[in-house]
Amino acid sequence: MKDYMLIFVGPEYGAVGLSPEEIQQRMGKWFSWIDKLNQKGVYKSGEALHPPSKRITSADLAMVDGPSAESKELVGGYFIVQAESLEQAIEYTRDFPDFDVDGVVEVREVAVYN
Amino acid sequence: MQKDNQEIVDHLFREEHGKMVSSLVRIYGIRNLEPIEDAVQETFYAAILSWRNNGMPDNPSGWLRRVARNKLIDYFRKNGRVDALDLESFSGAKVAAIHEVFSDHEIGDNQLRLLFAICHPALSIQDQVIFALKTFSGFSRREIASSLLKNEESVKKSLSRAKSRILEEDIRFEIPHGNQLAERLQNVHLTLYLLFNEGFHSAHKSLIIRKDLIAEAMRLCALLKEKFNHFDTNALMAMMCFHGARIEAKLDEQNELVQLEYQDRNKWNYPLIFKGHEYMDYAVKAEIFSRYHWEAAIAGAYIMAPTFEEIDWSKIKLYYDHLITLVPSAINQLNRIVVLSQQGKMDEAFDSFKVLNEKDFGEREYLYYAVGAELYFRNKEVENGSQFLNLALEKVENEIERKLVLKRIDEIKKGS
C-alpha cells in the first residue's frame, strides 16, 4: 500500500453562501465519506486549512497573496489515504462532497525513496 | 484513525442558528444583528472543517456556541467596536452573563424575545415571515426565495427593509407586557400561521422544502405554547398538527397533488393527529374562539371521518360560518361553497358563488374558476363548466396545480 494525498481545491464555503441546513447536510456527506474510508481501513489523517494564503517569494520574506477565498483555486485541506495504486486512490474520490460547489480533488502519491 | 461519527441530530444547525442568534442579540443588542448573523454563519463553516477531520465534539451545541461567541468578540475587537461590548467589555461579569444567556432555560426566552421583536407591527406581515425564516432558521436568501416562490431580489429588499425598520423604530428585544402582549401575540400567531401555510398550501414542487417550512412553523409555535400556553396558540398548534399529519399523503410518487378524497390514509401521521387532539382539548376551554380554533376544527373534522363519504359536512359548514364572521376572506367563502355543494345545497352554493369577485383571489384566481367549474358540472351545466375549467387552466400559476386542472379536463372529455 502506498500513501496518497487527496488535496481539496475550490472556493471557501463562505463564498458559496450555504445555509446552516445545507452546511449540516454537507457535513453529513463528509462524515459518511470518511466513515467509508475508515471502514476500508485506508484513511490515515487529514487537516483543513484557513483561507488567508500568502506565497513567499524570497528569503527577505517578500510575498504575494495566494488565491482568494472566493477563487476556485484555494487549497482548503487534505487527506492522507492508503491505496494500492493511483487508480484506486482516484476511485476513493467518488464520494467527495464538494463537486457540486465547484470543488475539485487533486490526487498525488506521497513520494518514498528507499 | 478517527472515531466513528455518530449521527448528528436532524436540523441541529438550523435550530442552533436561531438559538445562537437570539442569545447573542440578547447580549449585544438587536442593532448588531448583522455581525451576529455573520459570526454564527462562520461558526458553521468552521464546524464542517474541524469536525470532518477531528470527528464530532462530545457536545456539539456547546462547541458551536463557544466558537460563535469567540468569533463575535474577535470581530468587535478588530473593528474597534468596544462599545458593543459595553464598558466592562471583557470583564468577568460580562463573561458570566454570556454563560447565563446560553443556558438552556434562557435560550427559549431569548428565542421568544426575538420572535416578538420580528413580529413588531412596524414590519409588514410578509416581511415578518421572511425575516423569521432568515434569523431563526438561517434560510439563505436563495432558500427563502425558492420556498416562498419569490425572486431573490425581492427577498433581499424585504430583509434590508426589515432591518432598517428595526433601527428606525428602535424595536426592543423583549416580550411586551399587558395589552401589548395580547396584541403582539396575535401578530406572532399570524406570522407562524402564514409560515405554515406557505409550506402546506403552496404547491411547491419540493416536498422537502414544504416539510421544512411546516417543521419550522411548528417548532416556533411549540416554543410559544411552552411559554404562554395561550388558548389560541394551542388552537394554532392543533391546526398545524391536523394539516401537517396529511402532508405525506398530499403528493403522490409522480409529485402530483392528491385531493383529500383519494389520499392514502395509511400515510397519515396518526401520532401527530393525536397530539393535535390534545392541543385542541385545551384550546376549546377558551371563552372566545379565534380563527385558529375554527380552522383547527375544520381540519380536525376532515380527518376524524373514517372515510371521505362519512365526512360530517353540516358540522364543517357550521365551522366555516363561524370562521367567516371572523375572517370573511374570499378563500374562506369559496371553501364554504365547496362544502355547500358537498351537502347538495346547490342553490345556496350558486348564490354565494355569484357574489364572489375573481379578482379577490390574487394569485389563487384559478381556484375561483376551478370551484365554479365543479359547481356547473354538478348541476349538469357541462358547457359552463368546461368554460370555467379552461379559465382555471389559463390562470393557474404553478405546475402541480396545472396538472390537476389538466387531469380534470381530461376526465370531462372522456366522460362526455
Side-chain angles (χ1 to χ4, degrees):
Chain A
M1 293 280 255
K2 291 175 280 198
D3 282 358
Y4 289 85
M5 187 180 256
L6 308 183
I7 304 163
F8 312 130
V9 189
E12 231 210 332
Y13 288 139
V16 180
L18 301 172
S19 70
E21 188 71 11
E22 288 170 326
I23 298 172
Q24 182 170 342
Q25 283 163 6
R26 195 158 294 270
M27 181 142 70
K29 287 182 191 162
W30 276 97
F31 282 177
S32 53
W33 187 33
I34 295 174
D35 283 347
K36 212 163 153 182
L37 294 171
N38 270 331
Q39 276 161 21
K40 288 192 176 100
V42 298
Y43 179 89
K44 281 184 80 176
S45 64
E47 294 293 349
L49 303 171
H50 276 307
S53 168
K54 296 284 181 193
R55 290 180 171 171
I56 318 305
T57 56
S58 67
D60 60 358
L61 302 187
M63 59 183 96
V64 294
D65 284 341
S68 74
E70 288 80 31
S71 95
K72 295 172 185 173
E73 306 297 322
L74 188 77
V75 175
Y78 66 87
F79 286 176
I80 302 283
V81 295
Q82 291 184 309
E84 294 292 350
S85 63
L86 181 65
E87 285 66 33
Q88 194 184 17
I90 290 171
E91 188 62 29
Y92 296 158
T93 66
R94 252 182 222 289
D95 299 311
F96 175 64
D98 286 349
F99 286 128
D100 59 337
V101 288
D102 289 332
V104 296
V105 189
E106 188 176 324
V107 184
R108 304 282 295 269
E109 185 184 334
V110 176
V112 179
Y113 301 100
N114 49 12
Chain B
M1 292 284 286
Q2 62 171 187
K3 61 178 178 188
D4 276 354
N5 287 301
Q6 69 271 42
E7 272 298 294
I8 190 167
V9 186
D10 266 353
H11 307 303
L12 173 77
F13 279 19
R14 167 176 295 167
E15 288 191 21
E16 280 299 326
H17 182 278
K19 288 178 181 175
M20 290 194 285
V21 167
S22 48
S23 295
L24 290 168
V25 165
R26 172 84 168 136
I27 310 171
Y28 298 110
I30 201 160
R31 293 181 165 271
N32 285 305
L33 186 58
E34 211 152 299
I36 287 170
E37 285 188 322
D38 289 347
V40 168
Q41 189 71 6
E42 281 170 29
T43 299
F44 292 122
Y45 297 135
I48 196 171
L49 295 178
S50 167
W51 299 4
R52 78 180 186 204
N53 292 310
N54 306 317
M56 290 251 291
D58 290 335
N59 175 1
S61 300
W63 189 100
L64 291 169
R65 290 168 196 181
R66 194 177 61 247
V67 171
R69 186 191 59 209
N70 291 342
K71 277 187 185 295
L72 192 62
I73 291 175
D74 266 2
Y75 166 87
F76 286 135
R77 269 189 187 137
K78 272 186 200 151
N79 291 276
R81 291 278 310 283
V82 183
D83 62 308
L85 303 167
D86 289 336
L87 291 172
E88 7 133 55
S89 47
F90 301 105
S91 73
K94 195 78 189 178
V95 172
I98 291 172
H99 279 294
E100 177 59 22
V101 289
F102 270 123
S103 69
D104 277 331
H105 84 101
E106 272 282 311
I107 282 178
D109 278 2
N110 287 334
Q111 285 185 285
L112 288 176
R113 285 190 184 97
L114 187 58
L115 187 59
F116 277 87
I118 288 170
C119 295
H120 192 279
L123 272 59
S124 78
I125 191 81
Q126 191 55 239
D127 287 355
Q128 290 175 16
V129 171
I130 289 173
F131 200 36
L133 279 175
K134 179 76 169 59
T135 47
F136 270 103
S137 324
F139 275 44
S140 65
R141 288 202 299 260
R142 183 166 36 79
E143 284 176 315
I144 296 174
S146 129
S147 325
L148 305 185
L149 302 169
K150 290 181 177 307
N151 68 48
E152 219 177 309
E153 196 50 37
S154 77
V155 170
K156 197 174 161 184
K157 277 191 192 134
S158 175
L159 286 170
S160 71
R161 194 164 49 227
K163 278 182 186 161
S164 50
R165 295 299 280 168
I166 285 179
L167 297 183
E168 284 161 20
E169 301 281 330
D170 196 20
I171 290 174
R172 308 298 282 270
F173 183 69
E174 61 187 20
I175 297 168
H177 297 283
N179 279 346
Q180 261 199 322
L181 172 63
E183 266 173 49
R184 193 74 64 84
L185 200 54
Q186 285 190 12
N187 262 356
V188 175
H189 286 148
L190 188 58
T191 300
L192 297 181
Y193 171 83
L194 292 176
L195 198 58
F196 182 88
N197 276 357
E198 287 292 351
F200 189 72
H201 291 295
S202 95
H204 200 290
K205 49 182 184 299
S206 160
L207 184 60
I208 297 169
I209 289 179
R210 298 173 50 158
K211 281 205 241 170
D212 275 1
L213 289 175
I214 287 173
E216 274 308 285
M218 292 185 79
R219 185 171 75 82
L220 293 174
C221 196
L223 204 63
L224 193 64
K225 185 210 136 357
E226 202 61 35
K227 176 80 180 178
F228 295 109
N229 208 20
H230 194 282
F231 293 122
D232 296 357
T233 316
N234 277 273
L236 181 57
M237 200 68 208
M239 186 210 86
M240 290 181 178
C241 289
F242 293 148
H243 279 319
R246 291 198 292 117
I247 186 70
E248 292 284 354
K250 243 188 120 183
L251 287 180
D252 65 13
E253 283 85 19
Q254 285 79 44
N255 211 21
E256 287 181 24
L257 217 51
V258 184
Q259 287 172 307
L260 182 65
E261 196 171 349
Y262 307 108
Q263 285 176 9
D264 178 359
R265 286 167 181 248
N266 292 322
K267 286 189 185 166
W268 289 4
N269 181 341
Y270 286 95
L272 201 57
I273 294 175
F274 293 138
K275 211 70 204 148
H277 284 304
E278 279 176 30
Y279 292 124
M280 201 56 184
D281 286 345
Y282 184 76
V284 294
K285 291 180 180 155
E287 276 175 34
I288 302 169
F289 283 5
S290 65
R291 63 181 294 185
Y292 310 113
H293 282 84
W294 299 114
E295 292 199 34
I298 292 165
Y302 277 117
I303 51 177
M304 267 185 275
T307 63
F308 185 81
E309 289 69 30
E310 291 169 81
I311 289 174
D312 186 345
W313 295 106
S314 64
K315 206 153 96 186
I316 293 178
K317 146 97 171 41
L318 183 72
Y319 296 156
Y320 268 113
D321 288 342
H322 285 290
L323 177 60
I324 284 169
T325 57
L326 295 175
V327 190
S329 68
I331 203 84
N332 284 342
Q333 308 268 10
L334 193 69
N335 284 332
R336 182 174 165 276
I337 289 165
V338 173
V339 175
L340 285 172
S341 85
Q342 288 290 355
Q343 287 182 287
K345 297 179 177 171
M346 295 313 291
D347 290 343
E348 209 181 330
F350 268 106
D351 287 345
S352 305
F353 187 73
K354 277 170 188 154
V355 292
L356 291 181
N357 184 344
E358 66 274 19
K359 294 299 164 209
D360 291 338
F361 291 86
E363 55 194 25
R364 323 248 330 140
E365 193 180 336
Y366 98 94
L367 262 183
Y368 167 86
Y369 291 110
V371 168
E374 292 311 314
L375 291 182
Y376 284 123
F377 288 136
R378 253 177 198 265
N379 237 19
K380 312 269 183 254
E381 298 179 47
V382 179
E383 204 164 309
N384 283 335
S386 302
Q387 197 188 339
F388 264 62
L389 211 47
N390 285 328
L391 284 166
L393 187 64
E394 215 173 277
K395 299 289 179 190
V396 73
E397 289 193 359
N398 75 66
E399 219 25 62
I400 294 180
E401 288 166 341
R402 182 191 308 279
K403 277 189 195 159
L404 200 63
V405 176
L406 282 170
K407 199 169 142 198
R408 191 71 185 113
I409 289 177
D410 205 43
E411 283 169 12
I412 296 295
K413 273 186 191 151
K414 279 181 191 152
S416 60

